[in-house]
Amino acid sequence: MPWAARRGVRHSAMTMLISFGAACPCARHLAGWFRPAAPHAMVRPMPRDTPPLPSRHQRADGAFDLVFARAPRGGKGPVTVLRDLYQQSPLRILFPTPEPGEPPTAALLNCAGGLAGGDALRQSVRLEAGAQATLSTAAAEKVYRSLGPETRVETCITLDAGAVLEWIPQETILFNGARFLRDMRAELAPGAVLLAAETLVFGRAARGETMTRGLLRDRWRLHGPAGLLWADALALEGNLAAPLLHPFGFAGAEALGTLLLAGGDAAAGRGLLRGLPESAPGAATIPRPGLLLARWLGRASAVREAVGAAIVALRAAQLGLPARLPRLWTT
């Protein structure tokens, strides 16, 4: 009803009450109830009893615990099967149908879409005796600029006797201002083989961003039956432009690729990698018997190509798998 019409109705009712005042002593008091309200009256906000709470950022605390085993299945010989799985959001493990000739594949997915300052991930993979599996990520991981807290990722790999694991996640992209702490630990029993590859990208290369500030601490520890086999640590903090641009540092490289083969034929693997076309500047060496280490520096796309070519060559020659990248890398 229009305001003018509503006002007319109220005035008529008030007039009736006032004219009825002689018969009803309360009419004058009741007439006050029909006093017209302002057409644009505003509701005043209620005062706060307590001051507002300071804003708090939501943090991710993800984890997974994955166990593969070798057991008879369907009347056939022993095959690798999933023994146990625990997962905590935002991490999820998916199991795409493997292509012919491929072992069981676990696809690691971060449902949060990236990692922010204060997020923490705990990853645990165990292969029981004789099991073989591949673990990769569905896409590159992103570590966003931090407002202060560090992003932490802890990975623990345990391989029992004769187990074979490919740990080949796609790139980790560090945004400018990211504060990233990563700790990788692996325990290998006699006869176990580990092919592990990780790539760090310093800034969003596709949009021309470089990493000039932040924190990066990347630590690897590899243990075998006789104890520590290999230890490596990278620490950068504060002004990162100088070490990333220095000719005796990273020489302006957009990305760093690291590949490790433990338990295989290191000498044959080194010769194989040295014979590959050089997509990015790199080198392969044997820090100790039975351990192959390769690294690449260069443009992000070139490092990805070099790491992918090395994975293809080594998985075919050392692990007896098809000479191709897992489907997760190509879709």
Side-chain angles (χ1 to χ4, degrees), residues 73-315:
R73 187 174 184 181
K76 301 179 181 179
V79 296
T80 299
V81 297
L82 179 64
R83 172 76 75 189
D84 187 41
L85 172 63
Y86 166 81
Q87 51 190 352
Q88 176 177 309
S89 181
L91 291 184
R92 288 290 182 268
I93 301 292
L94 306 178
F95 299 94
T97 302
E99 296 181 270
E102 296 284 350
T105 300
L108 173 58
L109 177 65
N110 179 6
C111 297
L115 298 173
D119 291 352
L121 303 181
R122 298 176 305 281
Q123 307 173 147
S124 175
V125 181
R126 180 182 178 184
L127 269 62
E128 296 183 0
Q132 183 173 8
T134 297
L135 193 146
S136 184
T137 54
E141 184 63 275
K142 299 179 290 294
V143 183
Y144 300 119
R145 177 177 62 88
S146 172
L147 299 178
E150 292 84 11
T151 301
R152 299 175 180 270
V153 176
E154 297 180 1
T155 302
C156 181
I157 296 174
T158 304
L159 302 183
D160 292 348
V164 179
L165 173 65
E166 283 184 296
W167 173 271
I168 48 175
Q170 300 187 58
E171 304 94 319
T172 298
I173 303 173
L174 304 176
F175 285 36
N176 190 28
R179 299 180 62 83
F180 186 53
L181 307 181
R182 184 169 65 182
D183 189 0
M184 160 77 84
R185 302 186 308 277
E187 299 275 352
L188 275 65
V193 179
L194 171 65
L195 174 60
E198 293 273 8
T199 301
L200 290 170
V201 180
F202 308 115
R204 289 169 284 182
R207 62 174 299 174
E209 179 188 73
T210 57
M211 195 174 182
T212 59
R213 67 185 188 280
L215 169 67
L216 170 61
R217 292 180 184 170
D218 191 20
R219 188 176 72 163
W220 295 60
R221 294 291 185 273
L222 178 64
H223 293 264
L228 183 65
L229 294 177
W230 183 66
D232 184 70
L234 171 63
L236 301 172
E237 186 172 6
N239 180 12
L240 304 187
L244 291 179
L245 293 175
H246 199 283
F248 293 101
F250 291 83
E254 294 177 350
L256 165 66
T258 300
L259 182 143
L260 193 68
L261 175 66
D265 189 340
R270 179 181 60 182
L272 188 63
L273 294 187
R274 289 179 174 178
L276 294 176
E278 188 176 272
S279 302
T285 186
I286 301 177
R288 62 183 303 158
L291 182 63
L292 171 64
L293 171 65
R295 277 198 163 123
W296 297 266
L297 283 171
R299 296 184 59 84
S301 58
V303 170
R304 176 184 171 90
E305 182 180 350
V307 172
I311 291 172
V312 169
L314 290 176
R315 74 192 312 256

